[in-house]
Amino acid sequence: GGFEHDANVSIDEIDVFTFVYTLPPETLLPRTEVQVFSYLFDDERRIAVRPDNSGLTATRQDIDIYNFGGHLVGAYPFGPGTLDVLAWGAWQGGDWFDQKHDAYGVALEAGYQWANVFAKPWLRGGYYRGSGDDAPGDGDHETFYQMLPTVRKYSYTTMYNLMNNTDWFAQVLLQPVEKLRIRADYRILGLTESRDLWWQGAGATQAHGTIQGFSGRPSGGARSLAHSIELTATYQVTAFVGLHFFYGHMEGKDVVEFHFAEDDDFDLFFTELSARF
């Protein structure tokens, strides 16, 4: 869930139990995969941080969350191409330190691809909403918690995650030649609840200490976070070697300007060489 100077050290104080049941296409619905899942997440690390908007402190983690949800993914021939849809949702309950945990996340996406047109253009769009906590002083914690994720499934930047987040996006994917894939995204990012925090982070990195894995900044009473343009390109040099390129630019809005009034833009660029064995 991040970068640590001690790599591959086991964290024994986190337990995750998982149940997933998947119905492949044609089992329940034509050309549609249906899945239900359940996760139990228990974190008792000796981390002296309480990552929420309560303003309270803690001597160690005391998080016990259960998740129930599912997804529906389908691809359907339609006209000269293929129509695809995705629906995903999760509800969380349990205990967050001394508070009751009650949160949710939901994603809806759709796209269309022309297979017999040059570059096989694929247009997609969607919306994600992760719940936030709108009442810091009550007995409920309502911020959607990501547990142990990898943010690169949906974002190559490090400026936001799925907690107290809304994300409207439009996407274009192209394949001009067999080995080259290009993707461009435009995203409108915001906070679900202005009384909650602007969250960053990607999960546990320490077994003990002061770094929990997630951290948040006050919103300044605003909800508009940023507008983002992202470009990715992948070139498969051989069957085993690939090159990856990414450039992202974010124009910070009210939440970012509350903290960085003089310079509210964000740029990230990287290249990767990957080898598979």
Side-chain angles (χ1 to χ4, degrees):
F3 296 97
E4 270 298 326
H5 56 83
D6 294 325
N8 301 318
V9 176
S10 296
I11 298 177
D12 298 325
E13 294 85 2
I14 295 179
D15 296 311
V16 182
F17 300 91
T18 305
F19 171 80
V20 178
Y21 187 73
T22 305
L23 294 171
E26 313 303 331
T27 304
L28 185 64
L29 296 171
R31 301 179 180 273
T32 306
E33 177 187 279
V34 179
Q35 181 186 101
V36 294
F37 58 79
S38 176
Y39 292 86
L40 175 61
F41 177 85
D42 182 43
D43 185 353
E44 298 181 357
R45 288 175 296 151
R46 290 169 292 154
I47 302 291
V49 176
R50 178 164 173 162
D52 57 29
N53 59 344
S54 68
L56 301 175
T57 60
T59 58
R60 66 183 302 142
Q61 299 302 288
D62 186 11
I63 302 172
D64 187 7
I65 294 176
Y66 48 83
N67 301 255
F68 297 102
H71 76 227
L72 181 150
V73 181
Y76 316 100
F78 187 79
T82 302
L83 173 70
D84 67 272
V85 297
L86 177 147
W88 174 91
W91 172 77
Q92 297 180 332
D95 297 311
W96 178 271
F97 295 87
D98 56 351
Q99 292 178 298
K100 176 184 176 182
H101 185 71
D102 185 7
Y104 68 89
V106 61
L108 299 171
E109 301 180 12
Y112 191 83
Q113 183 175 26
W114 291 263
N116 297 318
V117 176
F118 172 72
K120 300 178 181 179
W122 188 3
L123 305 181
R124 304 193 75 250
Y127 173 70
Y128 167 79
R129 181 182 179 93
S131 64
D133 193 295
D134 64 348
D138 67 3
D140 294 332
H141 178 260
E142 299 175 323
T143 305
F144 182 74
Y145 191 66
Q146 283 189 253
M147 302 185 296
L148 296 172
T150 170
V151 295
R152 284 187 63 174
K153 290 293 184 183
Y154 59 90
S155 168
Y156 287 105
T157 74
T158 59
M159 202 186 92
Y160 67 98
N161 59 25
L162 295 179
M163 298 166 60
N164 189 38
N165 174 253
T166 61
D167 180 358
W168 292 94
F169 78 87
Q171 187 179 85
V172 179
L173 299 96
L174 302 171
Q175 189 175 359
V177 295
E178 184 64 27
K179 294 184 176 182
L180 177 62
R181 297 176 184 271
I182 300 171
R183 168 180 151 180
D185 294 56
Y186 180 74
R187 297 178 179 273
I188 300 175
L189 302 165
L191 305 186
T192 306
E193 302 290 347
S194 62
R195 298 189 69 187
D196 203 342
L197 306 178
W198 162 25
W199 286 101
Q200 296 171 303
T205 64
Q206 292 187 334
H208 53 83
T210 58
I211 299 176
Q212 200 269 353
F214 295 104
S215 62
R217 298 174 182 267
S219 69
R223 294 179 59 186
S224 180
L225 181 61
H227 291 185
S228 171
I229 299 175
E230 303 175 356
L231 177 65
T232 63
T234 300
Y235 185 76
Q236 199 65 33
V237 182
T238 71
F240 307 102
V241 178
L243 291 173
H244 186 84
F245 163 91
F246 172 83
Y247 172 71
H249 173 78
M250 286 188 171
E251 180 185 353
K253 298 300 181 181
D254 296 343
V255 178
V256 179
E257 291 172 353
F258 177 71
H259 296 277
F260 306 100
E262 298 299 323
D263 191 358
D264 55 12
D265 289 345
F266 174 87
D267 292 278
L268 177 65
F269 167 80
F270 64 81
T271 59
E272 289 180 345
L273 174 66
S274 62
R276 296 183 178 181
F277 301 95

